[in-house]
Amino acid sequence: MKIALIAHDRKKDDLVQFVIAYQPILKEHSLYATGTTGKRVIDEADLPVTLFRSGPLGGDQQIGAMIAQDQMDMIIFFRDPLTAQPHEPDVTALIRLCDVYGVPLATNMGTAEVLLKGLSEGFVDWRLIRGRRG
C-alpha cells in the first residue's frame, strides 16, 4: 500500500513518534510525505520515504494528484485545528479528494491508530482486491 504522511508544524513531533511506534506496520508499505515531515521520518524513524514539496509549496497538491490518479491508498495527516494555515484551500482540497476517491484518511492520532491496526489485519485490502491499482 502507498501511505502519505503529512503533519502541520505543531503536529510534526506527534507524527514522528507515531511513526516510530508503528514502524513494524509502516515498514511493509511505501511511504510518501511532504517536505520537512518526510525528512524527519527518514532521520528519526529510519524508514524510506518518497519526499514531496512542503505543504505550502505544493506538497499537499502533489499527494492530491496521486489520489486523483488512484495511486495513493491511505493518508495520515496530523492537522493542527487551532492554527490558521496559509494553504488551507490545499488542505481542504486534499480532504475532498479523499472523500471523492474513497481513500482512508486520518487527521488525528486516534483515527490513525485504528487505520494502521486495520491495515495490519487486512481490513484495507479492498483497495487491492477491487483492482484499484496496478
Side-chain angles (χ1 to χ4, degrees), residues 60-61 63-65 67 77 87-101 105:
D60 296 337
Q61 291 179 339
I63 291 171
I67 293 169
F77 186 173
H87 63 295
E88 191 62 35
D90 298 336
V91 172
T92 301
L94 182 67
I95 292 169
R96 181 183 152 284
L97 284 170
C98 287
D99 289 342
V100 169
Y101 290 97
L105 165 69

Side-chain angles (χ1 to χ4, degrees), residues 8-83:
H8 285 148
D9 288 344
R10 295 176 72 186
K11 298 293 184 173
K12 288 188 191 315
D13 289 342
D14 291 343
L15 181 67
V16 170
Q17 291 305 311
F18 179 82
V19 168
I20 291 169
Y22 283 94
Q23 186 180 23
I25 294 172
L26 291 169
K27 73 179 182 181
E28 302 298 323
H29 302 278
S30 299
L31 303 179
Y32 298 79
T34 52
T36 307
T37 301
K39 289 177 188 169
R40 288 198 53 196
V41 168
I42 291 168
D43 293 343
E44 298 175 44
D46 195 32
L47 288 170
V49 177
T50 299
L51 295 176
F52 292 114
R53 295 188 173 144
S54 71
L57 298 178
D60 296 337
Q61 291 179 339
Q62 289 176 294
I63 291 171
M66 286 188 74
I67 293 169
Q69 295 171 357
D70 207 18
Q71 292 298 311
M72 189 61 67
D73 297 301
M74 182 179 291
I75 310 293
I76 297 175
F77 186 173
F78 284 13
R79 298 178 63 215
D80 180 0
L82 301 178
T83 303

